[in-house]
Amino acid sequence: GENVEQHPSTLSVQEGDSAVIKCTYSDSASNYFPWYKQELGKRPQLIIDIRSNVGEKKDQRIAVTLNKTAKHFSLHITETQPEDSAVYFCASFQTQGGSEKLVFGKGTKLTVNP
Amino acid sequence: NAGVMQNPRHLVRRRGQEARLRCSPMKGHSHVYWYRQLPEEGLKFMVYLQKENIIDESGMPKERFSAEFPKEGPSILRIQQVVRGDSAAYFCASSLGTGDQPQHFGDGTRLSIL
């Protein structure tokens, strides 16, 4: 079945630095890749998503890149701030074998040190 | 402009009891997904429903777990004869459609089994 690998599992950066989180997926038919931010005890919040017909998407300090050939996608956060500290999850939408579901990575705990 | 509403936020049950978790999707959304999250882990897909139909239940245990999304009212995730291992956060998400439509999450129900 579909598998999504996410790295690193923890990431610590200084305020103002950039943070990069990478994910790989196995289902070549996947065509939708969202990223969620989850603060402690809160709901996962959609922060950005990308579809397979584009290679890059940017929204202010957040950008996502997608390489369909290599089956990997990445989240880039620039000029990090302490409020960016949270767990970030990547996901891939799977449609194999009649199944329709988001498959999530295990998450990256990002800490931005002031 | 209410988002996805889940209740209760916290639920405590003793082993062997039944747990009922409710989810009202965002206005206009007819697709509902249930996920389970263990502490320090990612989100695991359980079931995908549309009104009066279960579309994909491949992530839901065959025994003790059931889900429904009736024509009127919220979606219900039901766990019968709960065991300690059922303790987790259960999140519901809704979307406008399937495929590359963004899923928006509720605040979750934290289930604790004594």
Side-chain angles (χ1 to χ4, degrees):
Chain A
E2 170 70 4
N3 190 37
V4 176
E5 298 285 337
Q6 183 171 347
H7 299 280
S9 56
T10 60
L11 180 59
S12 183
V13 300
Q14 289 300 122
E15 184 176 359
D17 287 351
S18 294
V20 180
I21 303 170
K22 299 182 180 181
C23 289
T24 60
Y25 61 98
S26 57
D27 179 9
S28 55
S30 294
N31 61 359
Y32 176 62
F33 308 90
W35 285 87
Y36 287 85
K37 174 184 179 182
Q38 187 178 31
E39 296 176 38
L40 190 63
K42 302 282 183 68
R43 69 174 73 183
Q45 285 189 300
L46 180 67
I47 55 171
I48 195 167
D49 56 13
I50 190 167
R51 292 168 177 79
S52 59
N53 57 344
V54 297
E56 185 173 357
K57 183 177 178 181
K58 192 172 180 181
D59 182 3
Q60 298 182 345
R61 297 186 296 109
I62 295 173
V64 57
T65 58
L66 171 64
N67 183 328
K68 283 220 73 177
T69 304
K71 288 193 250 181
H72 65 67
F73 56 113
S74 300
L75 178 72
H76 304 251
I77 306 174
T78 57
E79 299 171 31
T80 54
Q81 301 166 3
E83 50 265 39
D84 294 330
S85 297
V87 179
Y88 290 81
F89 293 98
C90 63
S92 162
F93 190 80
Q94 174 189 342
T95 57
Q96 271 187 347
S99 174
E100 298 187 35
K101 61 187 180 188
L102 277 179
V103 178
F104 284 82
K106 289 186 185 290
T108 297
K109 184 175 181 181
L110 173 65
T111 303
V112 180
N113 302 300
Chain B
N1 188 19
V4 178
M5 303 299 291
Q6 286 188 250
N7 70 83
R9 290 294 309 277
H10 301 274
L11 182 61
V12 179
R13 285 287 178 266
R14 296 188 180 280
R15 280 178 294 173
Q17 291 184 321
E18 178 179 288
R20 279 186 180 237
L21 288 60
R22 294 174 188 76
C23 170
S24 295
M26 283 179 71
K27 188 176 179 181
H29 286 192
S30 59
H31 299 250
V32 167
Y33 307 81
W34 285 93
Y35 295 86
R36 179 160 76 173
Q37 186 175 40
L38 294 170
E40 309 282 321
E41 291 195 12
L43 294 141
K44 292 281 198 277
F45 168 82
M46 297 182 73
V47 60
Y48 162 37
L49 311 103
Q50 296 179 27
K51 283 284 186 183
E52 301 183 278
N53 282 305
I54 296 175
I55 308 301
D56 182 352
E57 56 183 347
S58 59
M60 198 159 66
K62 295 281 188 287
E63 296 180 357
R64 301 188 300 108
F65 285 73
S66 62
E68 61 176 10
F69 189 15
K71 188 176 180 181
E72 301 291 336
S75 175
I76 307 284
L77 178 67
R78 183 182 177 205
I79 311 173
Q80 294 178 289
Q81 299 171 353
V82 296
V83 301
R84 287 253 170 88
D86 296 332
S87 295
Y90 291 84
F91 286 95
C92 167
S94 73
S95 67
L96 266 176
T98 188
D100 64 353
Q101 295 299 310
Q103 293 183 21
H104 298 275
F105 283 79
D107 286 329
T109 293
R110 274 126 189 104
L111 176 65
S112 298
I113 309 302
L114 301 179

